[in-house]
Structure formats: structure tokens, C-alpha cells
Amino acid sequence: MEKTNETPRGIRNGNPLNIRRTLTKWKGMRETQTDKSFAQFDSLAYGYRAAFILLKQYYRKYRLKTIQGIISRWAPPSDGNATSKYITFVCHKAGVEPTEQLPYLTDDPLLWFCIVSAMAHQENGQTAGTMNDVILGYVMAFENEVK
């Protein structure tokens, strides 16, 4: 896909879930970071990898195991997000309820592929890459954990 100024920022940045730029040096980050707010990756797969790693942290460290909990932290209303609409969209796409306890990411990869691709769609207003990008990001994030 050719990237133009009309292409959503997250897709242009190879960062489909719009991960904020921090001091973290993610694998696959572009050598030169020109976006002052969001990290930029060499490919969408590396952006998805970073997202899966953050979601693993949300699940384990912060005990966020529902779409409501995850999205409320990922895209809080205090940042100007329509958090409740985001939650509804992801739940509809993934076929889960907002407060339903989710299995760990390696226990149901297909569910998490749906969740993450729905989050990327919400973040960009369109599909971000292909399911192969999502799966490759997952494999890279969990290469030592996948069953």
C-alpha cells in the first residue's frame, strides 16, 4: 500500500495502535523518529509486535483482563478519546462483552488477533495492514511463549 498524507498517521508510522513515543527502544523502530508524539516502526508487523508486548504487560502487570479495562487505559477519556465507543467497537468486532474476562494472549491467539486488529481499525478508521501483519507481530512478541 502506498503511503500518502491521506493515509492515517498510525499506518504511515508503521504503528497501527498509535503507541506513544517514550524512551523505550522498541525492536524494529525506525532509525530516525520524525513524529514527536508517536513511535515509528519499520513495518506494521513491528508496530503490532510492540502492541502485543504492551497488552501482555496490561494483562500481567496491571491485571487488565477485560476489553473495558484494557481500552480504558489504552485510550482514556482524559486524552480526549471516545473510550466507550472504542470499547463497543472492539467488543463487537471480537465477539466479546466489555467486562468478560479474557484468556491470556497465548491461550487464545485467534481472539487476540481479532481484538488487536479491531483496535488498529478503531485507531486508524480503517483496516491497518493485513492479518499477516498482525500474526507476524504476535509471533515476534511471543516467540518464547507460543504453545
Side-chain angles (χ1 to χ4, degrees), residues 11 14 16 24 27 35 40-41 52 55 59 71 85 95-96 105 117 121 128 135 140 146-147:
I11 295 171
T24 301
K27 183 176 182 179
D35 189 312
Q40 295 174 295
F41 295 93
F52 278 115
L55 289 169
Y59 198 96
I71 302 300
K85 288 182 181 180
V96 297
L105 288 81
S117 63
H121 189 150
I135 294 167
M140 289 188 295
V146 177
K147 294 178 181 176

Side-chain angles (χ1 to χ4, degrees), residues 14-31:
N15 183 356
L17 273 74
N18 287 318
I19 296 166
R20 293 243 174 232
R21 194 167 161 190
T22 64
L23 296 177
T24 301
K25 300 294 182 205
W26 293 102
K27 183 176 182 179
M29 281 184 80
R30 292 182 191 163
E31 191 171 317

Side-chain angles (χ1 to χ4, degrees), residues 84-97:
S84 62
K85 288 182 181 180
Y86 195 145
I87 291 166
T88 299
F89 181 82
V90 173
C91 286
H92 174 74
K93 290 286 191 181
V96 297
E97 295 298 319

Side-chain angles (χ1 to χ4, degrees), residues 59-109:
Y59 198 96
R60 287 184 168 163
K61 182 177 180 181
Y62 301 112
R63 305 268 187 234
L64 298 174
K65 299 178 180 184
T66 66
I67 296 296
Q68 182 174 309
I70 291 165
I71 302 300
S72 295
R73 182 178 176 100
W74 194 276
S78 60
D79 285 355
N81 295 297
T83 306
S84 62
K85 288 182 181 180
Y86 195 145
I87 291 166
T88 299
F89 181 82
V90 173
C91 286
H92 174 74
K93 290 286 191 181
V96 297
E97 295 298 319
T99 58
E100 180 180 333
Q101 173 107 0
L102 302 170
Y104 183 63
L105 288 81
T106 58
D107 291 336
D108 192 347

Side-chain angles (χ1 to χ4, degrees), residues 36-54:
K36 300 212 182 301
S37 298
F38 296 97
Q40 295 174 295
F41 295 93
D42 291 330
S43 69
L44 289 170
Y46 278 115
Y48 279 117
R49 175 190 176 275
F52 278 115
I53 290 170
L54 286 172

